[in-house]
Amino acid sequence: WLFHSEFGIVNRSLTSLGLDSFDRYPWFANGTAAFAILVTLIVWQSVPFAAITLYSALTTVSPELYESARLDGAGAGRIFRSVTFPILRPIFLLVVSLEVIWTFKAFVQIWVMTRGGPGDATTILPVYV
């Protein structure tokens, strides 16, 4: 309903901002727009898990490690490369692996919204499978 061509919230919002060309814009008739909407949807669904997981892992890093790195003269970038990222690497790899697996489960969103169309613009590997 957000992108419905007649009474969708996005169309009404853009029209109220003075962009009259979006009055009855058919979002899912344009392959590029449909694909962008689906990518936005999938990212919107996956970012909170990744952010909360990485944040919780970040809170486990000991402040003493940062303090000793600063005393040794390390800058912010060097602290991230030498202290933070090595500690977060296992969690980061887990999050990336899970997100890739869950992206293959995007069939439901794509099939419900566009059935792989228009044409083959939103047909990705899970839809083919």
Side-chain angles (χ1 to χ4, degrees), residues 79-129:
I79 290 174
F80 179 77
R81 284 190 316 272
S82 300
V83 177
T84 306
F85 191 70
I87 293 173
L88 295 182
R89 184 177 292 137
I91 300 298
F92 184 76
L93 292 175
L94 174 71
V95 168
V96 168
S97 300
L98 288 173
E99 293 294 344
V100 167
I101 291 168
W102 292 337
T103 300
F104 279 99
K105 291 173 46 178
F107 169 79
V108 173
Q109 294 92 337
I110 294 170
W111 196 255
V112 167
M113 293 179 78
T114 65
R115 296 196 187 271
D120 285 334
T122 59
T123 304
I124 61 172
L125 184 61
V127 175
Y128 284 123
V129 172

